[in-house]
């Protein structure tokens, strides 16, 4: 069922952002983004026969907002374009390869995107900015090319949101594991230091 994963992940993220994050402007920005994304999933307009869902505009704007907060915005913009081209290529490859029917796109896209983004940067904000921009850009290219050939295309539909938000969830879980590992290493080092001081 398309949209199921998107709704679960987005509502879980909204609960975490609203009730667990400290009360700052950043929390408000994240909460507004998530609520706008959820509420605009079924709102669309038709432009020259192409169905464009407003949620993709929300993702683009939020990706640009996150990108403005980084010091390496030019590098991340170029990386976003490159990853977006790769994502668009994957969408075309998915359509012509029957073997892709055996693998869920909601598993394959998040796995590949998480690995690529992890090697690009360790900062979760930069990873989210790059992913939102590149996924939206890749979806734009894919839909416009299909539309130019007279095929039916929709920009920002639920299957796109499923893959996008599962990837966001994977990135956040991976970041949580890295943070937990760092804290465990700090604790172990502190305990070893205390043990050495007691022995001496």
């Amino acid at each position: 069922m398309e949209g199921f994963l998107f709704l679960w992940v987005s509502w879980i993220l909204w609960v975490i952002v609203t009730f667990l994050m400290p009360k700052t402007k950043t929390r408000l920005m994240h909460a507004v983004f998530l609520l706008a994304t959820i509420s605009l999933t079924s709102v669309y307009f038709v432009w020259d026969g192409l169905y464009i869902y407003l949620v993709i505009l929300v993702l683009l704007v939020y990706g640009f907002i996150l990108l403005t907060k980084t010091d390496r915005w030019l590098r991340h913009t170029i990386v976003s374009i490159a990853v977006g081209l790769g994502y668009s290529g994957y969408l075309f490859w998915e359509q012509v390869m029957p073997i892709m029917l055996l693998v869920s796109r909601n598993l394959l896209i998040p796995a590949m995107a998480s690995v690529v983004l992890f090697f690009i940067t360790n900062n979760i904000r930069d990873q989210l900015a790059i992913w939102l921009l590149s996924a939206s850009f890749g979806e734009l290219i894919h839909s416009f090319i299909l539309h130019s050939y007279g095929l039916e295309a929709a920009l920002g539909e639920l299957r796109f949101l499923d893959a996008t938000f599962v990837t966001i969830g994977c990135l956040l879980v991976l970041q949580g594991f890295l943070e937990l590992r760092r804290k465990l290493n700090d604790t172990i080092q502190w305990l070893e230091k205390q043990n050495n001081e007691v022995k001496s």
Side-chain angles (χ1 to χ4, degrees), residues 92-176:
F92 286 113
W93 183 59
E94 182 183 55
Q95 289 180 314
V96 299
M97 292 293 290
I99 191 69
M100 297 311 297
L101 297 173
L102 303 175
V103 183
S104 172
R105 73 193 315 262
N106 294 328
L107 294 176
L108 195 56
I109 291 175
M112 291 190 304
S114 298
V115 170
V116 169
L117 292 170
F118 179 74
F119 283 110
I120 291 172
T121 177
N122 289 330
N123 188 320
I124 185 64
R125 182 193 61 212
D126 295 345
Q127 288 175 347
L128 292 176
I130 292 169
W131 174 242
L132 290 175
L133 289 174
S134 58
S136 302
F137 179 63
E139 184 77 2
L140 276 167
I141 293 173
H142 179 255
S143 297
F144 280 135
I145 291 175
L146 288 180
H147 181 67
S148 68
Y149 284 104
L151 301 172
E152 185 178 336
L155 188 56
E157 57 190 352
L158 287 175
R159 62 194 310 253
F160 161 72
L161 292 175
D162 278 342
T164 302
F165 271 78
V166 170
T167 304
I168 290 172
C170 288
L171 290 172
L172 292 172
V173 168
L174 182 61
Q175 189 69 25

Side-chain angles (χ1 to χ4, degrees), residues 20 33 42 52 69 71 73 75 80 86 90 95 98 115 117 125 134 141 153 157 159 166 180 186 189 192 195-196:
L20 298 181
F33 159 69
S42 58
I52 302 175
K69 297 181 179 297
D71 295 332
W73 62 270
R75 177 183 182 269
S80 297
Y90 169 82
Q95 289 180 314
V115 170
L117 292 170
R125 182 193 61 212
S134 58
I141 293 173
E157 57 190 352
R159 62 194 310 253
V166 170
L180 179 63
D186 291 345
Q189 289 177 1
E192 288 177 349
N195 190 29
N196 290 336

